[in-house]
Amino acid sequence: MPPVLRYVTASYRATLRLYPAGLRLAYGKEMEEVFEQLLFADWKRRGVRGIAATGGRAFYELLAVAIPERIFNERIIAPGLSVVISTGVLLSLVAVMMHPPRILTVQERLIRKNEQHKTSTHCVRDSVRGVCKPV
């Protein structure tokens, strides 16, 4: 077997560690043997393109089977969600501390409302200075 095929087979063997332990223990050797047979057959038939095609199918299988099994494992989900939620809460607290909301009293709200009403309805803009003059 050419060195390139041995390297690709060794890489595939290393990625088998990403599969769930039960699947890997039950079918790992068979998966490795089938991959090696497919790789050798595709290499003989199509050369480098065959190696790329077989590697691509193996990579797709890795993304479709092994990675989701790892991600949706409850030992991964709980700590992952904990990190995401804790980070969100921490960033929210930091944002509030850096820019605390100003709570207006009832009197301040009424003053602001009256000021907005005066400027919005009884005002003519001076074109030179851009200042609003009450009418």
Side-chain angles (χ1 to χ4, degrees), residues 82-96:
S82 175
V83 166
V84 169
I85 292 169
S86 299
T87 302
V89 168
L90 178 66
L91 291 176
S92 299
L93 289 173
V94 168
V96 167

Side-chain angles (χ1 to χ4, degrees), residues 38-49:
L38 288 172
L39 184 67
F40 191 73
D42 277 350
W43 175 73
K44 281 194 145 214
R45 195 177 67 215
R46 296 171 54 197
V48 175
R49 288 185 180 148

Side-chain angles (χ1 to χ4, degrees), residues 6 12 14 23 39 51 53-54 68 70 82 85-86 88 91 101 107 110 113 126 130 133:
R6 276 185 272 161
Y12 180 75
L23 180 70
L39 184 67
I51 294 172
T54 304
R70 291 288 183 176
S82 175
I85 292 169
S86 299
L91 291 176
Q107 186 178 8
L110 289 173
K113 188 175 180 179
D126 183 2
K133 294 181 180 179

